């Protein structure tokens, strides 16, 4: 079986973060999340990193990174993915600990699903962080 190139793996993680992150914040936004203050943090992290992921995807698709060589893009990617991993991990833990069927049974299923998807997004950003680290390390060695 042929080995899958690292760039395709990175792209898969990037697209998975985009789709799953969208699920996280839409599942919460479709409920009365303002009744539970902890969901404000989850919404902030989910929407903030989803918008930034779309922004970086546009930069990648339009190849803007080739027109701005002064920016250390591998370092930017490593910092972005590393911070997304850490903050999404905290948001996923907060999300999971805030889900309770007694609190509001009407919104329970959406909140439970958002918690599940938040952990999947955390795994995706962890994978992105790993591949960004490999790219960053190979750039600094050269």
């Amino acid at each position: 079986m042929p080995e899958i190139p690292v760039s395709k793996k990175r792209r898969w993680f990037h697209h998975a973060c985009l789709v799953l992150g969208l699920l996280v914040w839409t599942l919460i936004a479709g409920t009365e999340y303002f009744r539970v203050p902890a969901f404000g943090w989850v919404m902030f992290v989910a929407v903030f990193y989803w918008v930034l992921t779309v922004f970086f995807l546009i930069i990648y698709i339009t190849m803007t990174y080739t027109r701005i060589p002064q920016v250390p893009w591998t370092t930017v990617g490593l910092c972005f993915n590393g911070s997304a991993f850490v903050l999404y991990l905290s948001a996923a833990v907060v999300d999971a600990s805030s889900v309770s069927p007694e609190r509001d049974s009407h919104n329970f299923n959406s909140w439970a699903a958002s918690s599940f998807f938040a952990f999947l997004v955390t795994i995706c950003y962890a994978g992105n962080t790993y591949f960004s680290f490999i790219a960053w390390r190979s750039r600094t060695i050269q």
Side-chain angles (χ1 to χ4, degrees):
M1 179 178 282
E3 180 69 24
I4 299 172
V6 173
S7 62
K8 288 191 184 232
K9 291 177 187 175
R10 281 187 78 180
R11 224 174 301 145
W12 184 87
F13 276 114
H14 194 75
H15 294 316
C17 287
L18 200 65
V19 171
L20 296 174
L22 178 67
L23 280 172
V24 170
W25 69 263
T26 54
L27 282 167
I28 294 175
T31 65
E32 298 170 354
Y33 67 91
F34 49 84
R35 291 185 180 183
V36 182
F39 287 123
W41 169 248
V42 178
M43 282 292 290
F44 169 74
V45 170
V47 172
F48 179 74
Y49 280 107
W50 188 81
V51 169
L52 281 179
T53 302
V54 169
F55 173 73
F56 283 124
L57 180 64
I58 291 169
I59 286 176
Y60 178 74
I61 289 172
T62 61
M63 296 185 67
T64 304
Y65 62 91
T66 60
R67 293 184 214 121
I68 312 172
Q70 300 86 356
V71 176
W73 290 108
T74 53
T75 305
V76 170
L78 179 61
C79 292
F80 169 71
N81 289 316
S83 67
F85 167 66
V86 170
L87 292 181
Y88 241 111
L89 181 61
S90 72
V93 169
V94 166
D95 195 359
S97 65
S98 299
V99 175
S100 172
E102 295 85 28
R103 186 169 284 165
D104 190 354
S105 61
H106 175 70
N107 297 319
F108 174 74
N109 290 335
S110 293
W111 289 346
S114 73
S115 176
F116 172 75
F117 288 119
F119 279 104
L120 288 182
V121 175
T122 302
I123 292 168
C124 288
Y125 277 118
N128 267 338
T129 302
Y130 172 74
F131 290 123
S132 293
F133 176 73
I134 289 173
W136 175 77
R137 190 176 63 187
S138 69
R139 302 274 182 194
T140 56
I141 291 174
Q142 294 175 354

